Amino acid sequence: MRSQHEPQVFSAAIKNLIMQGDILCETSNNYLITKTSLIPDLSWDNLRIPEISIYGMSLIGFPHLRKETYDNWIFINSQPSFLTPLMTNSQVNLISKEDLKKLENRTDHLWSTIYTLTRPGFSQDFLQALIQITGYCAAIPCSYGNLLYLESTGEQWQVKSSYGLYNQ
């Protein structure tokens, strides 16, 4: 069942945050960001916040996130995975880690945004998903990370909310 939903979640995440022609590492990111400067512990309990204000900033979490979805996201990302067979979205250019390192040193790609995705975690009924996306460029220390909470309408996956992990 995972195999039919995973490409749809990747596609929804890519459509939400990645521009046409951007670069995506073909290996999943198994580094899960579970701490930020504002919230030192991004556990399931802390992600389920409806809305809080910290230092004058309004943070909206994922109030409907089920523990099973979060636990599945943690479990499935214990090791990196090869994403190419799971990708159906032609919006991005998939690239190997080896080619990525070469690309970072080329002056014609210094301003390209390079993305990584985790594999999505799913609820048992495949109505919820949680995925992490990170992006950076080699030219300057611009980078960011987001957790995306998605829900299935039965026919497609939609990003319902995004939680900013960091932004530089």
Side-chain angles (χ1 to χ4, degrees):
M1 188 85 130
R2 169 180 277 282
S3 62
Q4 80 182 60
H5 292 282
E6 207 159 11
Q8 295 172 3
V9 169
F10 284 130
S11 185
I14 288 168
K15 286 178 186 173
N16 188 61
L17 289 172
I18 298 178
M19 305 291 274
Q20 182 72 30
D22 279 340
I23 300 163
L24 176 66
C25 184
E26 69 182 4
T27 306
S28 69
N29 184 357
N30 67 321
Y31 176 73
L32 304 179
I33 300 168
T34 57
K35 297 175 191 265
T36 70
S37 59
L38 294 176
I39 299 180
D41 174 22
L42 282 177
S43 64
W44 170 72
D45 288 325
N46 288 338
L47 282 174
R48 292 185 62 237
I49 57 173
E51 183 173 358
I52 61 171
S53 181
I54 298 177
Y55 304 117
M57 292 175 32
S58 179
L59 299 176
I60 300 171
F62 310 137
H64 303 291
L65 178 66
R66 296 184 210 153
K67 183 153 179 27
E68 66 194 58
T69 307
Y70 180 84
D71 290 345
N72 184 257
W73 176 67
I74 296 290
F75 173 76
I76 199 68
N77 288 293
S78 61
Q79 293 187 1
S81 301
F82 190 56
L83 298 179
T84 302
L86 305 170
M87 289 291 168
T88 58
N89 190 311
S90 60
Q91 182 174 330
V92 294
N93 298 315
L94 288 168
I95 191 167
S96 70
K97 283 188 173 184
E98 295 77 27
D99 287 342
L100 189 59
K101 290 190 187 308
K102 293 176 194 172
L103 192 67
E104 289 172 348
N105 296 319
R106 289 181 38 190
T107 56
D108 59 333
H109 281 283
L110 286 178
W111 296 100
S112 297
T113 304
I114 300 164
Y115 293 92
T116 64
L117 291 170
T118 62
R119 292 189 63 194
F122 290 102
S123 59
Q124 291 177 356
D125 59 7
F126 290 93
L127 294 176
Q128 289 187 351
L130 185 66
I131 190 168
Q132 176 183 293
I133 184 169
T134 60
Y136 71 95
C137 60
I140 57 173
C142 61
S143 60
Y144 69 91
N146 285 317
L147 272 179
L148 302 177
Y149 169 74
L150 299 93
E151 290 181 355
S152 174
T153 63
E155 297 190 15
Q156 66 179 359
W157 285 88
Q158 295 179 338
V159 175
K160 291 297 185 177
S161 68
S162 173
Y163 186 90
L165 299 169
Y166 65 92
N167 191 359
Q168 296 178 351

